[in-house]
């Protein structure tokens, strides 16, 4: 089992010391949230809270995802970074491929590229991208990022993107794992068929049912024997026995945080408290699980 430390919507000056502290405490990864903008007016709902309210996002600081990973990567040497999740279909996939390969090269391959379809119609609007057929656009973008990250000439001719044969340099020594987020049937299928792993978003959906659906899809697609990362948020992640139960269900990575991220208003938890919390978990859970 691997352990991912989650912190978001906090004082931007906290991230570098938190990354150093998480690495020193024995965490495998640190998740990095992605948010482009907060609209004044919106009918969109957030899929991972019980009431769908998104007001907790207003006035929260979000450093651009790849920028933050580069900064934290520069002050660490083993910690992996997993966007949770990058809103891929609103972005140009060639640019994302360039950013991801650059990060992977600079950090020695310490990137697991978590991607998802944004639930916010406004993200598509402000980026000049149609909301309609966003799932198909997402599929094409994944294929393009994966193809360009390989380092050879790659071309793509699809419904949304038409890319001549091009090559990105430098390219990482190892493939960048693409981890697909989402709880819908298309998202689970996308993770199973196109992804190297799945990222659970937490919220009210039943985790066991989601894992069972994911397993059925992978079995049906002949993917069951292939390596596959499963990143989850669960109360079981906070005890050694609970971690063992998750491991028995096929979970490879647990995501843990130590405050309620959906609260309105600024994060008032001081840096020292955050570091104490992550270190306490490392002592009581990570050390006992990893031996």
């Amino acid at each position: 089992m691997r352990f991912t430390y989650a912190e978001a919507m906090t004082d931007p000056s906290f991230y570098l010391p938190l990354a150093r502290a998480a690495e020193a405490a024995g965490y495998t990864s640190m998740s990095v949230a992605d948010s482009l903008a907060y609209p004044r007016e919106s009918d969109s709902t957030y899929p991972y809270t019980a009431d769908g309210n998104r007001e907790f996002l207003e006035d929260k600081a979000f450093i651009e995802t790849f920028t933050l990973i580069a900064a934290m990567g520069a002050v660490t040497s083993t910690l992996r970074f997993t966007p949770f999740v990058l809103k891929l279909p609103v972005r140009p996939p060639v640019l994302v491929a360039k950013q991801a390969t650059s990060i992977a090269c600079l950090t020695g391959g310490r990137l697991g590229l978590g991607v998802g379809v944004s639930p916010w119609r406004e993200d598509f609007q402000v980026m000049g991208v149609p909301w309609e057929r966003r799932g198909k656009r997402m599929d094409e973008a994944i294929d393009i990022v994966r193809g360009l990250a390989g380092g050879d000439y790659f071309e793509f001719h699809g419904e949304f993107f038409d890319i001549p044969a091009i090559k990105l340099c430098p390219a990482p020594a190892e493939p960048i794992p693409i981890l697909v987020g989402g709880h819908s049937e298309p998202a689970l299928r996308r993770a199973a068929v196109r992804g190297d792993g799945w990222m659970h978003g937490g919220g009210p959906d039943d985790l066991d049912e989601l894992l069972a659906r994911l397993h059925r899809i992978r079995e049906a697609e002949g993917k069951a024997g292939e390596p596959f990362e499963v990143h989850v948020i669960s109360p079981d992640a906070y005890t050694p026995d609970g971690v063992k139960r998750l491991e028995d269900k096929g979970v490879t990575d647990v995501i843990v945080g130590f405050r309620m991220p959906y609260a309105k208003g600024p994060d008032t938890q001081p840096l020292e408290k955050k570091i104490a919390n992550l270190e306490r978990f490392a002592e009581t859970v990570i050390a006992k699980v990893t031996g």
Side-chain angles (χ1 to χ4, degrees), residues 5-7 10 13-27 30 256-259 267 269-284 286:
Y5 172 57
E7 183 61 88
T10 191
S13 69
F14 288 1
Y15 285 110
L16 270 58
L18 286 172
R20 288 191 291 261
E23 180 174 82
Y27 291 80
M30 188 165 173
V256 295
F258 308 105
R259 68 180 180 88
D267 174 19
Q269 190 178 71
L271 175 61
E272 294 75 14
K273 179 67 173 178
K274 293 181 185 298
I275 292 176
N277 286 338
L278 72 85
E279 289 178 339
R280 185 178 303 110
F281 177 85
E283 293 169 0
T284 59
I286 297 178

Side-chain angles (χ1 to χ4, degrees), residues 194-224:
R194 278 188 161 80
D196 302 296
W198 173 65
M199 300 193 85
H200 171 233
D205 293 334
D206 181 75
L207 175 59
D208 286 346
E209 174 59 24
L210 291 169
L211 291 172
R213 286 160 55 196
L214 184 66
H215 178 72
R216 287 195 295 268
I217 296 170
R218 297 192 68 229
E219 285 277 0
E221 296 291 335
K223 301 278 190 178

Side-chain angles (χ1 to χ4, degrees), residues 36-122:
L36 293 172
Y38 187 85
R40 177 180 295 174
E41 297 179 0
S42 173
D43 294 327
S44 299
T45 57
Y46 188 64
Y48 303 116
T49 55
D51 60 1
N53 190 289
R54 62 173 291 173
E55 292 179 7
F56 68 91
L57 289 165
E58 186 171 10
D59 295 326
K60 295 291 175 57
F62 283 91
I63 302 299
E64 192 278 322
T65 305
F66 286 117
T67 304
L68 181 54
I69 292 174
M72 292 192 294
V75 299
T76 55
S77 58
T78 63
L79 195 67
R80 189 190 195 204
F81 301 99
T82 51
F84 188 49
V85 287
L86 189 80
K87 297 170 177 63
L88 181 57
V90 303
R91 291 171 160 88
V94 175
L95 177 60
V96 172
K98 186 63 178 177
Q99 292 170 311
T101 54
S102 298
I103 290 290
C105 288
L106 286 171
T107 61
R110 292 185 284 134
L111 174 67
L113 185 59
V115 297
V117 179
S118 173
W120 316 129
R121 185 184 292 265
E122 295 79 14

Side-chain angles (χ1 to χ4, degrees), residues 158-285:
E159 178 180 344
F160 298 102
F161 303 103
D162 191 66
I163 300 169
I166 58 174
K167 179 190 292 188
L168 301 187
C169 185
E174 299 292 335
I176 299 173
I178 296 179
L179 315 172
V180 180
H183 293 186
S184 68
E185 199 67 21
L188 294 173
R189 178 165 296 279
R190 184 172 295 116
V193 174
R194 278 188 161 80
D196 302 296
W198 173 65
M199 300 193 85
H200 171 233
D205 293 334
D206 181 75
L207 175 59
D208 286 346
E209 174 59 24
L210 291 169
L211 291 172
R213 286 160 55 196
L214 184 66
H215 178 72
R216 287 195 295 268
I217 296 170
R218 297 192 68 229
E219 285 277 0
E221 296 291 335
K223 301 278 190 178
E226 299 179 6
F228 193 77
E229 299 183 25
V230 178
H231 297 236
V232 307
I233 299 169
S234 170
D236 274 346
Y238 293 86
T239 66
D241 289 344
V243 169
K244 180 62 168 61
R245 288 192 293 270
L246 291 171
E247 193 171 30
D248 290 343
K249 296 175 183 179
V251 174
T252 61
D253 298 73
V254 291
I255 304 167
V256 295
F258 308 105
R259 68 180 180 88
M260 173 54 69
Y262 302 137
K264 294 181 183 179
D267 174 19
T268 59
Q269 190 178 71
L271 175 61
E272 294 75 14
K273 179 67 173 178
K274 293 181 185 298
I275 292 176
N277 286 338
L278 72 85
E279 289 178 339
R280 185 178 303 110
F281 177 85
E283 293 169 0
T284 59
V285 178

